[in-house]
Amino acid sequence: MERSLRAARVATYVYFVLCGTLMGAWVVHIPAIEEHVGISHATLGGLLVLLGVGAFTGMQVAGRLTDSLGVRVVVPASAALCGAALALPGLARDPWTLAGSLLVFGFCNGSLDVSMNVHAVHVEKAYGRPVMSGFHATFSVGGVLAALVGAGAASADLGTAAGLAALGAVGVVVALASARALLPAAPTPPADGSGDQEQEQRQEHTEAPSGDRRPGAGGRVWLIAVLALMVMLCEGAANDWSALHLRDVLGASAGTAAFGYGTFAAAMTTGRLLADRLAARFGSMAILRYGAALAAVGITLVALGPWLWAAFTGWALFGLGLSGCVPQLFSAAGHADPAAAGANVSRVAGLGYVGMLAGPAVIGWLTHLVALNHAFVLLTLLCVTTAVAGGLLRTGSDATRESELAPSDH
């Protein structure tokens, strides 16, 4: 494997960690900023909508810019701007300045999110085998890193503004220093023939087998985007409601309840570390279909199980099942049309982000009608739908794998 390709893969890991760290730094400092600005929880909730609006807009803009200017320009520029914008919420003095800060930070973060995923698609194509899930796992590592840095800054009595500015400055340096390792353009298939089989399998993401009726490139991308919305809605719901479920429904203590989300997050990170090898063996769509089915089993156990052990098991299965779904969807969108990888990834990421934001709100609205645990049945339905619809995206390579595996099952 060429050193330049290895360096590009390492750089991609760096940008994913950086994105997770910058976003995590904002999340860690939310209570301090809320207190400093002097706003209520309700006002903060409204301002967070602007963060989402900014991110969605940045995703759409970055998708087109990535296709026209290239990842080597857009990725480091977005990362550097995101690092610089991290300081803005810490400098806010009132709701209006905080609103503007979140809009700008969200725009920069959304731009980085899409552009780094497009570069990840290029790296995956050059490798000729799945590597996308590993990148998404390192995003979670960035969140953990942000929590550790935030705790260290708090113990050192470093102010919120100074802490965010310092971390943002480090982010700018890392973003610019890693730029040279990025691939200059979408790679061509390996010339030595070592990756021919894998490359052909990747090309089959855009070529339906003879006689097989599937959506065209445009329709396929929008179908992928809808699946991303459903999967990320499930993730968003788990992020905000897992701990509350254990506390309010099962009567767990606050400390025990916190492990609900921890179990989900740990299972998701573990699954993403394993998903690339499984995708190489069984196919990306198998990861999507069976992962969504496993998630459906897990969240159903959460919804109906009256015991703590059942809840922890269910949240673990839910996270493990969902873990590989989003990376496979992003990868499929990027490979659907290499000439428009940026625009396609931005559509999938944008609609998925809408689902991430909507998930907590939808579950919250349902709790006015049914108990919290029964509201999770909606997530079961979304996971089952994803598992069924994921089969519609089966490629020729997936069919080949199934035929190859069939004899070993007897």
Side-chain angles (χ1 to χ4, degrees):
M1 191 68 65
E2 296 182 2
R3 292 180 60 185
S4 60
L5 182 54
R6 293 184 183 276
R9 186 178 184 184
V10 171
T12 310
Y13 282 128
V14 170
Y15 283 109
F16 270 79
V17 172
L18 179 60
C19 186
T21 302
L22 295 177
M23 177 55 73
W26 149 248
V27 172
V28 168
H29 287 88
I30 285 178
I33 293 175
E34 181 186 44
E35 181 180 358
H36 177 72
V37 176
I39 56 177
S40 64
H41 294 333
T43 301
L44 176 63
L47 293 177
L48 289 177
V49 173
L50 293 177
L51 180 70
V53 170
F56 182 84
T57 305
M59 289 175 180
Q60 307 315 305
V61 173
R64 296 183 181 277
L65 288 179
T66 301
D67 288 335
S68 58
L69 301 179
V71 290
R72 207 168 191 177
V73 173
V74 181
V75 173
S78 298
L81 289 173
C82 191
L86 179 64
L88 297 180
L91 299 173
R93 292 293 179 267
D94 54 60
W96 295 106
T97 53
L98 182 57
S101 300
L102 293 181
L103 192 63
V104 173
F105 179 64
F107 181 91
C108 296
N109 187 266
S111 300
L112 174 58
D113 194 317
V114 163
S115 58
M116 70 183 186
N117 271 287
V118 173
H119 185 261
V121 170
H122 294 341
V123 172
E124 185 176 61
K125 183 175 182 180
Y127 266 83
R129 58 183 174 84
V131 295
M132 181 67 79
S133 293
F135 295 137
H136 282 250
T138 57
F139 179 88
S140 301
V141 173
V144 175
L145 181 61
L148 295 176
V149 172
S155 63
D157 202 22
L158 188 64
T160 300
L164 290 177
L167 185 57
V170 172
V172 171
V173 173
V174 171
L176 298 179
S178 304
R180 295 184 61 183
L182 298 176
L183 296 176
T188 54
D192 60 0
S194 60
D196 288 347
Q197 181 178 358
E198 292 88 353
Q199 200 66 35
E200 290 174 1
Q201 292 172 351
R202 280 292 172 198
Q203 292 173 352
E204 287 172 347
H205 275 292
T206 59
E207 298 175 3
S210 176
D212 197 8
R213 297 181 180 180
R214 287 188 173 82
R220 176 185 172 87
V221 168
W222 282 114
L223 176 56
I224 293 171
V226 171
L227 294 179
L229 182 148
M230 292 190 291
V231 171
M232 294 182 72
L233 188 152
C234 291
E235 287 189 31
N239 291 341
D240 282 26
W241 291 103
S242 53
L244 289 173
H245 162 256
L246 290 172
R247 189 193 68 184
D248 297 346
V249 177
L250 299 180
S253 65
T256 301
F259 282 105
Y261 172 71
T263 300
F264 170 81
M268 176 165 283
T269 302
T270 301
R272 284 179 171 172
L273 292 173
L274 300 174
D276 285 330
R277 292 186 178 184
L278 293 175
R281 180 70 178 91
F282 301 105
S284 296
M285 290 307 103
I287 300 300
L288 177 63
R289 288 185 294 173
Y290 297 119
L294 180 62
V297 173
I299 196 60
T300 301
L301 188 59
V302 170
L304 303 180
W307 309 286
L308 278 175
W309 67 264
F312 282 117
T313 302
W315 285 120
L317 293 177
F318 193 51
L320 189 63
L322 292 179
S323 62
C325 293
V326 169
Q328 307 313 317
L329 293 171
F330 276 37
S331 178
H335 289 293
D337 182 2
N344 289 337
V345 171
S346 70
R347 293 188 184 105
V348 173
L351 206 55
Y353 195 79
V354 170
M356 179 73 78
L357 294 175
V362 170
I363 295 298
W365 180 80
L366 285 176
T367 58
H368 293 292
L369 304 175
V370 297
L372 174 59
N373 57 317
H374 295 157
F376 291 150
V377 173
L378 171 66
L379 306 183
T380 299
L381 297 177
L382 292 178
C383 290
V384 170
T385 302
T386 300
V388 174
L392 299 177
L393 299 180
R394 187 179 66 170
T395 63
S397 60
D398 293 320
T400 301
R401 288 188 187 92
E402 290 179 359
S403 64
E404 292 174 348
L405 290 173
S408 64
D409 295 335
H410 298 288

